[in-house]
Amino acid sequence: MTASRLSSGGLVDRSRPVSFTFDGKSLSGFAGDTLASALIAEDRLLVGRSFKYHRPRGVLTAGSSEPNALLTIGTGARSEPNTRATVQELYDGLVAKSQNRWPSLDFDIGAFNSLLSPFLGAGFYYKTFMWPKAFWEKVYEPFIRMAAGLGKLTMESDPDRYEKAWAHCDLLVVGGGAAGLSAALTAGRAGLRVILADEDFLLGGSLNASRAAVGGVKAPDFAANAVSELSSLANVTLMPRTTVFGWFDDMVFGAAEKVQKHVAEPSHDRPVERLWRIVAKHAILATGAIERPLVFGGNDKPGILTASAVSTYVNRFGVTPGSRVAVFTSGGTGYRTAHDLKAAGIEVAAIIDTRDAAADRAPDGVKVHYRGAVVDTMGGKRLTGIITERSGFEEKIGCDALAMSGGWSPVIHLACQRGAKPVWSAEKQVFLAPESDPRLALAGAAAGLETLGEAIADGAAKAKAVLSALGKTAATADVPEVEEQDFAGHQPVWYVGGARSKAFVDYQNDVHVKDLALAQRENYTSIELTKRYTTSGMATDQGKIANVNATGIVASMRGVDPAVVGTTTFRPFYTPVSLGVIAGTSRDEHGRPVRRSPLHGWAEKNGAVFVEAGLWYRSSYFPKGEEKTWREAAHREVMAVRKAAGLCDVSTLGKIEVFGPDAAEFLNRLYCNPMLKLPVGKARYGLMLREDAMVHDDGTVSRLAENHFFITTTTAMAGEVLSHMEFYHQAQWPELKVRFVSVSDQWAQMAIAGPKARAILSRVVDADLSDEGFPYLSARDVRLKGGLSARLFRISFSGELAYELSVPAAYGEAVADYIMECGAEHGITPYGLEALNILRIEKGFVTHAELNGTVTADDAGYGKMMGMQKPDFVGKQMATRFGLTAADRMQLVGLKPVDPKNEIRAGAHLLREGAEPSMANDQGLVTSNCISPVLGHPIALALLKSGRERMGETIIVFDRLRGDEFPAIVCPPVFIDPENERLKGEAQVSPQAKEEASR
Amino acid sequence: MASLITCPHCGSRPKEEFSIRGEVRSRPEPAAPFETWYRYVYVRDNPKGRQKEYWHHVLGCRRWLVVERDTLTHEVYGVTDAAAYRASEVKEAAE
């Protein structure tokens, strides 16, 4: 045993053992452990294999910057890959598995990649896998995917709940360490509404790993006292386990709270994670600093940790990563760790200091190597020793752990997420956040301060500044005294020369110093290019460990100052955030609510097959008996409508009521066709254009009273048209006295179409439905025979005698059932969207398949409908512009295949006979198609250049994707009953039309 | 993009409740020259800096608003109801 639990000490609760498994082996720790500290206590330093070379890797840090100890936590649907063991709170029953190894962590075939490493340098993808081209998809990529990578996602659905919430405060303090607690205390005592958030489950930050005395008590006790005082303040909200991951406009911060990520079986009463958007008047970032590793040969062996991590494991968790620990440092931090180790009774093998001499005092009896360098390390899956070099002399030092420190990088991420560029401080040799917003301040280590005393004083000072900005005064309270040994700062050594093996910069992506050098040699010198070429800083830790070192190394290679090289761009998220918490409650039916028509139950009863249309479930067809395909059912439904009658649910159409003395004027300006003189009791087809004269939407406009209109829109454009109307009413013509409201959900609407429609409806509606009593395009309030108020419209989307009946939504199903009952003797048939579509194609009626945003009213054949005499309507001005009146515009036509066996399919392009298929030769496209049950052969609607002049021309239907290429004849888009005889119903049907329908 | 918009009717609301139409342009008189209409329909200034935009409070009061904001810094200078904005525009033109 080398790494072990110390006999005493730490903030873990030794009375509460916690059991967990790692790669199937049962292990135990204590409440208060992280998974990493518990693994170290069990001498499990090897926890993973690296991304590319499959090198053995161990815990490197004690916090969220961890690049190595990425494990899959949980089982089944709750298994979560790439969880950092260093922040994962230990809980009873935790199941952890290592990643990127096969067959096992100890024996990993992929480690063979290490032998290939000369070929796997930066840019190797681009150079190696260039040819043969066909190999990429079949050979190279699958190989790379198998060999490289991290954990695997479960394919099971997430069983847990997530939620989102807003929070508001005067001051948000990000980070609950020395500076953060001090800021929160100062602001909280003065009565500000304060939120203090910290990613850790235990507030206190580095205080919890410090042996200093603060305000006369031990540092962790000072933290606990501060937390208990803050908890007692009603105006302060403490949010442990909450990572503030982003700073957005208007002082909105994003934060992810892990509510139940520390239990095996989360309670279903609460979410497992919560996404917070915190609106703060002011914010103090007390986010601390991340310790940099030193970049030296063999710096990635399990057992090599950052010095502060070693101190944290020893002081906070009461575990040691080794029994004989060496220290390699470029400043005072290593000495502090040496003292921490010594105080815990752990042997310190030596301190290797890169400086010439130091003010720092080593613990008694510990040998210090000044101007020292570690050039290589020994051991395989565990460090067994280091090789140091000084003035040409080398020495082997046996040790089972190494604490290294290359200095500190302030955590300035949040402050730089909105475009502010970090500023290099030559004095402190760190990147600091520039001042970018007076409402955001950095405090403590995040502001480049080094000692606990400075951090506590700075936190209080920054909070006082917020108080005065908000017009409050701070209660007088002493800033506590800190008694701590002084340690000097660091003299950065970006790269330790003389490395005998790989010196890693980005551990997680396996980027070493030579990769950075290669990028410079190949002229990817900008740090943003170096990053992308080498992948340094592109792993899930987003370069927390690597980036500043990479900047320093590139600066040395280029012979410039780090200020010249700069940093890559900081973006949210600070640490990985689960997709689950970003989705919140918006999943499944909550993310995509199901809209059911008021006639859904009626359709279900009649055996409808439903189709999703946007959020709507619409009845597609109603199969009967032996019918196996939608087409069989739809064709039967079509023939029923043409010969007898059908009932179709059209409730999904958008419906808007328009009221007011200016309602007619308003609609007259919105529709391109005239509406002013629409008589009361009449309906009219209406075409809305956009300002660029393209068709926006179509529908019907009915005038129910002088100042009361009812309009319909297409299903898809219901919301869009309402917004369009609101825009013109509010932003353009606010002087018009008009009010309107969507009533799409208030009315159930059904189409009753076919020669028997009148006979059937006469039994339902208490009104004279004769041609004289209720002529074509009538639109009136009516009463049903039972007394129910309803609206009846004589409009037709099938070319048959047809009505649309609107009843209050709740009555829809009952009325539809009753119509079916009344129509049974006449052969009434429910028909769905498919039959509706065939019926309208046979009649050449357009939908958004034709009105696709590039089509003008004239293109669709409605040119004459436009009320060009009107002084103004939306789209009028552009309708006459040159490009929109050109003779070769694509116009709506019909198509019939020369050989009726050829089905013309929508999406096919049109070519002149003999023309090469090319964009230049493109003549148009097929927009809708069907096999006409009436005509017995395929028909289609198409948009064709100068189409209306080309009737009778033979044209080639060309579809390379589906292998279609055959001739078709251009014809008018109305395939049946061009005289509209059938609208009149049974009595008036001409013999010719009758014959057509019966064919 | 601003995270919060102060709707004159609903107060400070998250941007997810709004949809944005683009920059505010006055719709010309019907008799205006073609060039004026052409510019209204097709040409956008796309400034780097201050811009007035139409925002629709779709998931709130459903009023169209004129939001004046900085496209570079995202600072919002003011929010007006579009009808009030139009009225003041008409009044200005008359004066």
Side-chain angles (χ1 to χ4, degrees):
Chain A
M1 292 289 277
T2 53
S4 61
R5 179 79 62 183
L6 300 170
S7 56
S8 65
L11 305 177
V12 294
D13 185 350
R14 289 172 192 254
S15 67
R16 286 169 58 205
V18 171
S19 61
F20 67 103
T21 69
F22 176 63
D23 281 346
K25 194 174 183 333
S26 291
L27 303 170
S28 80
F30 292 121
D33 263 326
T34 60
L35 176 55
S37 66
L39 284 168
I40 292 171
E42 292 273 14
D43 196 27
R44 303 292 305 221
L45 259 79
L46 169 65
V47 290
R49 290 278 175 169
S50 74
F51 185 73
K52 199 157 86 176
Y53 303 122
H54 289 246
R55 289 167 71 98
R57 289 282 165 80
V59 172
L60 182 74
T61 73
S64 62
S65 59
E66 177 63 32
N68 289 344
L70 304 182
L71 302 177
T72 297
I73 308 293
T75 55
R78 288 208 170 90
S79 95
E80 192 166 314
N82 307 340
T83 306
R84 286 151 297 155
T86 50
V87 294
Q88 174 62 55
E89 197 170 346
L90 195 68
Y91 58 80
D92 224 20
L94 183 149
V95 176
K97 289 192 200 75
S98 56
Q99 303 177 158
N100 201 30
R101 81 290 188 270
W102 186 84
S104 75
L105 186 56
D106 274 329
F107 179 75
D108 174 35
I109 295 277
F112 162 73
N113 279 9
S114 266
L115 303 177
L116 294 177
S117 68
F119 309 104
L120 295 178
F124 81 104
Y125 278 23
Y126 319 122
K127 293 169 186 164
T128 314
F129 301 118
M130 289 292 285
W131 49 267
K133 203 175 155 196
F135 266 41
W136 175 251
E137 220 173 283
K138 296 265 166 15
V139 182
Y140 296 141
E141 199 186 356
F143 168 76
I144 293 166
R145 291 241 178 267
M146 198 183 79
L150 299 169
K152 284 195 174 60
L153 271 179
T154 168
M155 287 296 132
E156 288 177 59
S157 172
D158 190 333
D160 292 327
R161 290 203 309 115
Y162 300 84
E163 70 181 25
K164 295 186 190 182
W166 286 85
H168 302 259
C169 60
D170 296 319
L171 174 65
L172 170 66
V173 180
V174 183
L181 287 174
S182 164
L185 279 172
T186 304
R189 283 169 184 161
L192 289 191
R193 283 196 304 161
V194 177
I195 293 176
L196 172 68
D198 193 291
E199 57 186 0
D200 204 332
F201 53 89
L202 180 69
L203 295 175
S206 69
L207 289 169
N208 290 328
S210 169
R211 288 184 302 113
V214 180
V217 298
K218 288 177 181 169
D221 293 335
F222 172 79
N225 294 342
V227 168
S228 108
E229 182 182 342
L230 288 168
S231 313
S232 73
L233 296 174
N235 53 320
V236 175
T237 305
L238 298 179
M239 297 177 73
R241 301 186 176 97
T242 305
T243 303
V244 178
F245 57 70
W247 177 35
F248 302 95
D249 287 339
D250 303 310
M251 292 297 280
V252 174
F253 292 80
E257 180 187 5
K258 293 188 188 309
V259 183
Q260 294 189 86
K261 286 301 222 186
H262 54 294
V263 291
E265 275 291 323
S267 150
H268 211 69
D269 298 339
R270 289 184 302 148
V272 292
E273 289 185 67
R274 198 178 277 134
L275 186 83
W276 287 97
R277 279 175 285 177
I278 302 170
V279 186
K281 289 191 184 128
H282 286 264
I284 292 175
L285 302 185
T287 41
I290 291 173
E291 192 180 13
R292 294 190 297 268
L294 282 163
V295 181
F296 59 94
N299 64 345
D300 67 329
K301 295 227 163 76
I304 302 178
L305 292 84
T306 62
S308 63
V310 171
S311 288
T312 302
Y313 288 117
V314 170
N315 292 341
R316 173 173 165 184
F317 297 103
V319 298
T320 176
S323 55
R324 182 176 149 84
V325 183
V327 173
F328 183 25
T329 186
S330 63
T333 312
Y335 288 80
R336 182 187 351 238
T337 299
H339 283 277
D340 288 339
L341 287 163
K342 202 74 181 174
I346 302 151
E347 185 184 352
V348 178
I351 295 175
I352 295 92
D353 190 330
T354 57
R355 296 172 293 183
D356 293 340
D360 296 305
R361 186 177 58 77
D364 292 344
V366 173
K367 193 176 160 198
V368 180
H369 302 224
Y370 292 110
R371 291 185 309 283
V374 177
V375 293
D376 206 354
T377 57
M378 297 179 288
K381 290 168 214 160
R382 185 73 159 89
L383 184 73
T384 55
I386 56 176
I387 301 172
T388 66
E389 195 183 75
R390 186 164 48 162
S391 319
F393 293 96
E394 80 171 45
E395 185 182 344
K396 288 183 182 170
I397 300 171
C399 58
D400 55 8
L402 175 71
M404 62 177 164
S405 184
W408 294 84
S409 302
V411 177
I412 55 174
H413 298 57
L414 289 171
C416 296
Q417 282 177 351
R418 294 172 65 236
K421 284 280 169 203
V423 178
W424 177 253
S425 159
E427 180 214 334
K428 292 181 184 289
Q429 294 281 297
V430 295
F431 283 104
L432 294 175
E435 276 184 36
S436 59
D437 190 318
R439 297 167 294 181
L440 185 89
L442 288 94
L449 302 178
E450 284 164 15
T451 68
L452 276 181
E454 287 173 317
I456 291 172
D458 193 38
K462 297 286 161 65
K464 276 180 186 156
V466 170
L467 285 167
S468 69
L470 293 174
K472 300 224 175 188
T473 41
T476 46
D478 304 332
V479 171
E481 270 309 291
V482 176
E483 293 161 52
E484 190 187 24
Q485 190 179 336
D486 277 341
F487 294 101
H490 283 253
Q491 290 172 12
V493 175
W494 301 113
Y495 167 53
V496 180
R500 307 236 179 104
S501 57
K502 286 195 183 70
F504 284 90
V505 181
D506 186 322
Y507 289 77
Q508 200 180 126
N509 267 357
D510 268 348
V511 179
H512 52 104
V513 172
K514 284 181 178 170
D515 291 325
L516 296 178
L518 183 69
Q520 308 315 303
R521 283 205 304 282
E522 298 190 349
N523 211 24
Y524 296 100
T525 49
S526 147
I527 194 68
E528 295 279 11
L529 292 180
T530 298
K531 166 180 170 171
R532 281 152 185 88
Y533 194 61
T534 62
T535 74
S536 180
M538 286 174 68
T540 64
D541 67 339
Q542 289 287 289
K544 286 185 184 63
I545 286 291
N547 279 358
V548 177
N549 272 342
T551 290
I553 292 167
V554 168
S556 322
M557 286 170 176
R558 286 170 56 189
V560 297
D561 196 68
V564 176
V565 174
T567 62
T568 54
T569 310
F570 292 94
R571 296 187 181 88
F573 302 88
Y574 176 64
T575 51
V577 172
S578 70
L579 288 174
V581 78
I582 290 172
T585 55
S586 295
R587 57 180 284 188
D588 306 322
E589 71 275 21
H590 303 294
R592 201 184 141 74
V594 172
R595 292 187 82 182
R596 288 198 180 86
S597 145
L599 297 181
H600 192 85
W602 165 83
E604 256 177 348
K605 260 183 290 198
N606 285 279
V609 171
F610 291 96
V611 61
E612 284 181 53
L615 300 178
W616 286 105
Y617 273 63
R618 299 188 68 181
S619 26
S620 180
Y621 57 101
F622 296 80
K624 268 194 174 162
E626 299 294 292
E627 287 167 352
K628 287 193 180 64
T629 66
W630 66 268
R631 185 167 264 166
E632 285 175 278
H635 281 200
R636 172 183 46 75
E637 293 163 22
V638 167
M639 292 316 288
V641 172
R642 296 263 182 245
K643 287 180 172 170
L647 195 162
C648 183
D649 178 10
V650 292
S651 304
T652 62
L653 292 178
K655 308 178 205 73
I656 300 167
E657 307 255 351
V658 187
F659 299 92
D662 289 330
E665 173 62 27
F666 180 58
L667 296 177
N668 201 45
R669 294 187 198 178
L670 280 178
Y671 287 95
C672 75
N673 47 327
M675 292 296 168
L676 267 186
K677 290 180 184 151
L678 178 65
V680 172
K682 279 288 182 185
R684 181 173 289 172
Y685 178 71
L687 202 57
M688 268 186 197
L689 307 185
R690 307 190 307 225
E691 212 66 93
D692 66 359
M694 299 300 163
V695 175
H696 189 50
D697 196 40
D698 66 347
T700 57
V701 179
S702 303
R703 193 170 203 166
L704 298 174
E706 184 60 26
N707 296 334
H708 178 193
F709 290 78
F710 173 79
I711 71 170
T712 62
T713 75
T714 58
T715 301
M717 293 289 278
E720 202 64 39
V721 168
L722 187 70
S723 291
H724 179 79
M725 292 171 68
E726 285 166 336
F727 176 74
Y728 279 94
H729 177 227
Q730 296 168 25
Q732 302 299 347
W733 309 313
E735 69 282 5
L736 291 186
K737 294 188 178 73
V738 60
R739 289 288 183 272
F740 45 89
V741 63
S742 164
V743 292
S744 297
D745 293 326
Q746 276 66 32
W747 293 95
Q749 191 148 323
M750 54 206 98
I752 302 98
K756 306 279 191 195
R758 177 182 291 127
I760 296 166
L761 270 186
S762 297
R763 288 187 55 189
V764 180
V765 179
D766 194 5
D768 171 15
L769 295 186
S770 70
D771 241 4
E772 297 72 39
F774 205 85
Y776 181 53
L777 294 179
S778 293
R780 290 212 293 265
D781 287 325
V782 293
R783 268 185 197 285
L784 304 193
K785 294 239 153 117
L788 183 69
S789 290
R791 284 174 182 170
L792 189 65
F793 309 87
R794 188 162 161 203
I795 49 181
S796 175
F797 197 50
S798 57
E800 300 300 321
L801 166 71
Y803 301 85
E804 284 188 16
L805 179 67
S806 281
V807 297
Y811 291 93
E813 193 172 338
V815 172
D817 287 345
Y818 185 62
I819 295 174
M820 292 300 287
E821 200 182 309
C822 297
E825 57 175 304
H826 299 289
I828 195 167
T829 300
Y831 68 103
L833 214 48
E834 294 296 348
L836 185 84
N837 198 37
I838 296 171
L839 289 160
R840 69 97 192 169
I841 294 172
E842 287 182 332
K843 276 295 289 179
F845 290 138
V846 291
T847 63
H848 281 295
E850 285 73 35
L851 307 176
N852 62 12
T854 69
V855 168
T856 67
D858 188 59
D859 296 342
Y862 295 132
K864 293 201 183 82
M865 198 189 270
M866 279 193 284
M868 294 309 283
Q869 280 73 40
K870 294 197 279 186
D872 188 16
F873 64 82
V874 176
K876 180 186 175 187
Q877 305 293 333
M878 288 299 122
T880 49
R881 81 173 173 87
F882 172 71
L884 300 191
T885 53
D888 68 341
R889 283 195 65 81
M890 295 203 289
Q891 295 165 340
L892 184 73
V893 296
L895 293 177
K896 296 179 206 177
V898 171
D899 179 347
K901 284 200 286 296
N902 287 326
E903 189 177 351
I904 306 171
R905 288 186 281 201
H909 281 256
L910 304 175
L911 295 168
R912 287 184 199 279
E913 281 184 293
E916 281 292 311
S918 71
M919 286 299 287
N921 288 336
D922 190 25
Q923 293 289 300
L925 71 154
V926 178
T927 54
S928 302
N929 70 289
C930 68
I931 295 173
S932 164
V934 172
L935 302 172
H937 61 74
I939 57 172
L941 298 178
L943 292 166
L944 174 66
K945 281 189 177 175
S946 312
R948 288 197 288 270
E949 292 166 16
R950 298 170 72 171
M951 295 301 151
E953 186 180 322
T954 302
I955 200 142
I956 302 300
V957 174
F958 177 81
D959 185 340
R960 173 77 36 97
L961 283 176
R962 288 174 290 194
D964 290 346
E965 189 169 356
F966 54 80
I969 309 290
V970 179
C971 63
V974 183
F975 292 90
I976 65 161
D977 188 26
E979 308 306 324
N980 292 328
E981 292 291 318
R982 302 183 61 84
L983 284 174
K984 294 172 191 162
E986 206 171 31
Q988 292 86 357
V989 173
S990 70
Q992 187 209 344
K994 219 169 201 172
E995 193 196 329
E996 237 171 25
S998 60
R999 241 188 273 160
Chain B
M1 189 64 58
S3 302
L4 300 170
I5 291 293
T6 304
C7 171
H9 310 292
C10 310
S12 178
R13 304 298 307 165
K15 71 163 183 285
E16 290 80 5
E17 292 183 357
F18 299 81
S19 74
I20 307 162
R21 187 185 168 103
E23 76 186 51
V24 167
R25 307 186 65 84
S26 345
R27 193 170 184 272
E29 288 303 309
F34 178 79
E35 177 60 25
T36 309
W37 272 98
Y38 172 82
R39 292 192 59 79
Y40 168 68
V41 174
Y42 295 109
V43 184
R44 299 288 174 269
D45 288 341
N46 193 23
K48 177 181 175 181
R50 271 191 188 228
Q51 166 166 276
K52 288 175 185 165
E53 294 170 345
Y54 285 122
W55 287 51
H56 190 196
H57 200 182
V58 176
L59 300 180
C61 59
R62 292 205 66 97
R63 290 298 296 182
W64 280 90
L65 310 173
V66 171
V67 174
E68 185 172 16
R69 68 175 191 106
D70 192 304
T71 59
L72 187 67
T73 65
H74 302 167
E75 189 175 347
V76 173
Y77 301 108
V79 186
T80 328
D81 186 277
Y85 179 83
R86 175 71 183 172
S88 68
E89 211 181 37
V90 168
K91 200 176 153 205
E92 242 167 64
E95 274 162 11

